[in-house]
Amino acid sequence: MRLLTFIAPLLGGRKMTKLQGHEEEALGDAVAWCVANGGCYADPNDPKLYGHAPFALEPFPFPRAEYDRVVALQPAFGRLVDCVARDAAWLEDTLKETAASDEFTRKLLELRRETDAKGLKQTCSLGLLRSDYMLDAPGSNAEDGSGRALQVELNTIASSFGCLSTVISGLHSYIAQKYEGASNGVLPPNKAKDGLCAGLAAAHAEFLRQFPSSDVPRRVAMVVQPGERNQMDQRMLEHGLWEGHGIDLRRVTLLDVEENGGKLIFGEGDDRWEASVVYFRAGYAPDDYASDKEWQARAVIEASNAIKCPTVAYQLAGTKKVQQALAAPGIIEKWLPSDAESLRGVFAGLYSLDVADGASVDAIVAEAIEHPSKFVCKPQREGGGNNLYGDELKESLMKFSPQERAAYVLMDRIQPPSKTATLVRGGESIVGACVCELGIYGTILTNGEGATIFENTPGHLLRQKSLGVDEGGVAAGFACLSSPALV
Ligand code: ADP
Ligand code: MG
C-alpha cells in the first residue's frame, strides 16, 4: 500500500482563525468527539480493536454553486441507473466486449441473464447510490472556490461512509463553534445516515405490503465481508433502522444463504427469519467470491422474492464501462431526454477501449501513452486501488493486447485545486497540501416498470487526500473523512 506523503506545511498567507495556535487542543477535542459519536474504524491488524476513523481537522472549501448543481442532479442519476438496469439489451450490448475480457463482469452479466430467464419473483429494486465528484481547476488554490465538478464515478453497490460522514459533519460543526471561525464557509446539513435508513425502511415496508403474512419475522439482511474494518458505518445503519423504524437488521455472509423456494430464510428452528431486503456491503469485488458457493448464493438471492439493494442489473449499471458508454453523445436521451444535457454537464472525457471502436481507440491509446499524466485507466472494479496512472498506465497500454485493453476504459484526469490542511490518523496530525472528492448520496426504490416508490437525496461525503496521491479510498488507506465548507 502506498503511504501518504505530505509536502512541508505552507501556512503563510492563510486566514487566521481561533484554531491557529490551538491545534493541539483542537486535535484532542476532535479525536474525543469523533470516538464519542461513533466515528470509529477498526485497526488494520485487529478488526475487533477500534480507534477513530481518519479525518480532516477542518472542512474543505467547495464552491456552493457546484455543490448545489450536483445535489440537484442526484434524483436524475437515480432514474438513469434504474432505466439502464431495466434495459437488458443495451446492457448486454454495451458490456459485450468488457465481459469477454473480464471474468467478473462476465459472471455478473450471466447472472442477470439467468435470473431474467427464470422470471423475476421481485420486480422492485433499491439503490443506495453515491455519485462522486472532483473539482477540475488545474493549479488553483481551493480557498478561491474555483473549479467545475466532474463525476469520478457513480457507485451503485456498497456505497459506504454515509454514517461516518454524518458523524464528521457533526464534528466539524462542533469544532467550528468551539474554535469560532475555524471554518471559512458554511457547513451544509448532512442527513445521510437518516436518509439511507429511510430508503431501507421504505423497501422493507414495500416487501411487507407485497407479502403481508408470514410465520417467521421479516428482517433486513446486510451481506458483509468477514473482518470488515468499516463496521461502525454499517452498525449505525443497523441502530438507525432499529431506533427510527423498529426494523431488525441482521448481518450475514454469502455463505449463510440457503435456497428455500424463492423465500430467503436464515437461521434454524425458532430462530428462523425471512429477509425482506438484502443490502449488499460485500459482493462488489472478485475477492468476495472465493468459490462457486458465493456465486450460487448470489444467484439464490437474485432469484428470491427479497428486494435487492442492489440487483445485479443495478450493479452492472454502475460499472466504469457503462459510465463511459453513457457519456457518448445522444445515449442518455434514449431514456431521459430532458435530463440528458445537465447530466452530461458533469461528465469528464471518457473513452472506449473496445476492439470494435477501432481507429478511435488506437488514437486515444497513442495519446495516453504520450501523455500518461492526462489520463486515468480504469478496470471494472470497485473499492479503490485498482486504477492505472502515470508510468504504470503507459507501460500497461503498451503491452496490453486489444482484447486485454477492452477490460478497461480511459478517462481524462481531473486536476483538483489544493489547499494546506491537517489530516488526523491514529491521533497524530499531518499537515500538507490536500485535494478533495465530494460524494452525494441518493436513494431510489422503484417498482421495475419505471415508477419510483421512494427517493431522497439526504446528504454527502467529502474525502480529503494529500496532493499527489493518485487513489482516493478511505478504506484502502488513501484518504481521510471530511466535510464541505461551501464558499
Ligand atoms: P473505485 O471504484 O475504485 O472507487 P474510482 O473511479 O472512484 O474507483 O477511482 C478511485 C480514485 O481514483 C478516486 O477516488 C479518485 O481519487 C481517483 N480518480 C478516479 N478517477 C479520476 C480522474 N478521472 N481524475 C483524477 N482522479 C481520479
Ligand atoms: Mg470511488
Side-chain angles (χ1 to χ4, degrees), residues 127-385:
L128 298 188
L129 314 172
R130 198 188 70 220
S131 183
D132 291 338
Y133 303 87
M134 283 168 98
L135 292 166
D136 194 43
S140 319
N141 184 327
E143 311 261 18
D144 301 344
S146 55
R148 199 170 163 75
L150 294 178
Q151 188 179 51
V152 171
E153 65 159 340
L154 178 53
N155 297 285
T156 59
I157 182 166
S159 314
S160 57
F161 290 114
C163 295
L164 290 196
S165 75
T166 306
V167 172
I168 300 302
S169 289
L171 166 70
H172 284 164
S173 154
Y174 159 76
I175 292 291
Q177 282 167 40
K178 183 153 183 183
Y179 299 89
E180 184 194 332
S183 61
N184 301 319
V186 175
L187 306 180
N190 192 2
K191 302 268 181 223
K193 178 193 156 186
D194 289 348
L196 298 177
C197 285
L200 287 165
H204 180 78
E206 170 61 21
F207 184 86
L208 297 190
R209 192 193 64 76
Q210 293 178 10
F211 305 99
S213 63
S214 168
D215 48 3
V216 294
R218 266 76 71 80
R219 296 170 177 158
V220 173
M222 184 192 278
V223 180
V224 300
Q225 294 173 334
E228 169 67 73
R229 289 184 65 207
N230 194 18
Q231 196 177 132
M232 283 312 132
D233 187 55
Q234 304 174 345
R235 290 284 180 183
M236 277 187 243
L237 285 179
E238 175 185 336
H239 303 157
L241 269 181
W242 181 250
E243 286 155 15
H245 303 272
I247 298 169
D248 197 348
L249 177 151
R250 297 296 169 104
R251 302 165 66 79
V252 301
T253 69
L254 283 172
L255 295 179
D256 296 326
V257 173
E258 278 168 33
E259 172 69 270
N260 203 304
K263 289 182 170 193
L264 269 187
I265 303 289
F266 293 90
E268 314 236 309
D270 289 347
D271 292 330
R272 280 154 42 92
W273 57 278
E274 181 183 6
S276 55
V277 180
V278 181
Y279 172 40
F280 287 95
R281 288 291 290 255
Y284 56 83
D287 286 354
D288 292 333
Y289 303 86
S291 68
D292 271 354
K293 283 205 178 108
E294 284 86 356
W295 281 112
Q296 281 155 19
R298 184 77 195 264
V300 168
I301 294 171
E302 203 60 19
S304 76
N305 68 356
I307 297 178
K308 272 71 72 180
C309 177
T311 58
V312 170
Y314 265 50
Q315 182 173 354
L316 287 165
T319 55
K320 273 82 180 169
K321 179 64 197 177
V322 164
Q323 181 188 9
Q324 174 265 309
L326 291 174
I331 298 296
I332 297 179
E333 275 81 352
K334 187 168 151 53
W335 307 283
L336 299 176
S338 56
D339 296 308
E341 213 171 301
S342 51
L343 290 176
R344 264 198 304 273
V346 293
F347 289 171
L350 284 146
Y351 311 95
S352 167
L353 297 180
D354 278 3
V355 180
D357 291 318
S360 69
V361 176
D362 293 340
I364 199 70
V365 166
E367 199 186 331
I369 288 172
E370 200 175 335
H371 305 287
S373 64
K374 287 189 183 168
F375 296 91
V376 182
C377 187
K378 299 188 177 188
Q380 313 307 309
R381 292 291 176 275
E382 301 295 329

